[in-house]
Amino acid sequence: MARRLSPRAMMLAYRIWAVADPVDWSVSLPELAAMLGEDVDELRRVCKRKGWLSRLAADEPESMAEADI
């Protein structure tokens, strides 16, 4: 039997879904972390358990982010 998410992980899953679903999941993990004020690794763990990692936008490489400045 699969392990259930902890109450905290379920809360994070809801918050991730509430932000990502309205924008068709076109948000990256670092963007989610900034919006939600949560750790990227914690969000990654929850998204992986929910099967959402492939739905999220790819992280923008830092070299590309700096080129826009």
Side-chain angles (χ1 to χ4, degrees), residues 59-69:
D59 298 345
E60 183 176 312
E62 289 187 30
S63 60
M64 293 296 292
E66 293 172 3
D68 293 338
I69 298 176

Side-chain angles (χ1 to χ4, degrees), residues 29-59:
L29 277 171
E31 291 170 330
L32 276 172
M35 285 185 248
L36 299 176
E38 298 288 346
D39 181 64
V40 172
D41 291 330
E42 183 68 23
L43 295 180
R44 181 178 289 113
R45 279 190 288 276
V46 171
C47 287
K48 184 176 180 182
R49 293 276 310 274
K50 297 293 283 184
W52 293 344
L53 282 178
S54 63
R55 298 174 88 179
L56 293 170
D59 298 345

